Amino acid sequence: MRLTPAAVVEQRDWVATRSATVVSTINDVRAELGEQFETDVDPVTETQYRAEVDAVFADGDLAVNVAALVAILRDLDVADDYPGFVVDEILGRELAATIAGTQPLRTLGEATFHYADVHVHGSSEDNAGVDDLEAALAAGFQERLPGWDWTERDSPFAVDPE
């Protein structure tokens, strides 16, 4: 694989075109996690998702890494799929974490990937890695997007410099 600026644009465009599928997964995951944690979590829109895709790909250093993982997962297929189960999980988890950002969102992105992954099943025409890719996009972007109350307040653990 060769990554060029044009290849990064191609991957960004593909990620943006998946907005309907990814946003639906984000909102399903948020609703279920909100219920599990007894909190309200705002749903997201396709417009919010596409704007955040643009933000991720506007950061060139982040964009090239996200584009590489997206390209690998889009192309990944393993005969009978099961032998490739581990590699697409590893790549999906890393993509979700990379998109989510710094700690603690990075770890939450990884954890949410596994939760989202059990809900996402690609079509029979898709390569094996595509469903993990869509789950990773949902997990990573849902961490970046507003809607979780705890991310929209000042942390009680912040220490003021003296």
Side-chain angles (χ1 to χ4, degrees):
M1 172 179 17
R2 180 165 163 73
L3 282 176
T4 63
V8 172
V9 169
E10 177 187 333
Q11 298 310 321
R12 190 263 337 260
D13 291 348
W14 187 90
V15 169
T17 65
R18 301 307 264 207
S19 63
T21 302
V22 174
V23 168
S24 176
T25 303
I26 288 171
N27 289 331
D28 289 348
V29 166
R30 282 182 166 208
E32 290 178 23
L33 290 175
E35 188 175 308
Q36 288 290 319
F37 293 110
E38 299 178 349
T39 188
D40 292 324
V41 187
D42 298 336
V44 301
T45 66
E46 289 184 45
T47 300
Q48 287 175 297
Y49 169 78
R50 285 190 298 271
E52 202 60 30
V53 168
D54 288 345
V56 165
F57 281 91
D59 177 342
D61 293 339
L62 176 58
V64 71
N65 287 285
V66 170
L69 290 165
V70 168
I72 292 168
L73 282 163
R74 283 181 65 191
D75 195 44
L76 181 65
D77 205 18
V78 177
D80 299 324
D81 188 34
Y82 191 77
F85 170 74
V86 173
V87 72
D88 58 14
E89 295 293 307
I90 290 168
L91 294 168
R93 188 185 73 217
E94 185 59 30
L95 176 58
T98 302
I99 292 168
T102 60
Q103 295 295 3
L105 297 179
R106 179 178 178 79
T107 296
L108 290 171
E110 291 181 77
T112 304
F113 164 73
H114 292 293
Y115 192 86
D117 190 32
V118 299
H119 298 292
V120 176
H121 306 288
S123 75
S124 60
E125 292 111 39
D126 288 335
N127 287 343
V130 172
D131 63 338
D132 295 278
L133 171 53
E134 289 176 342
L137 294 172
F141 280 104
Q142 81 89 25
E143 294 299 339
R144 294 180 65 96
L145 291 163
W148 291 93
D149 290 343
W150 74 270
T151 63
E152 296 173 19
R153 56 139 172 87
D154 290 333
S155 173
F157 300 100
V159 178
D160 288 328
E162 296 181 74

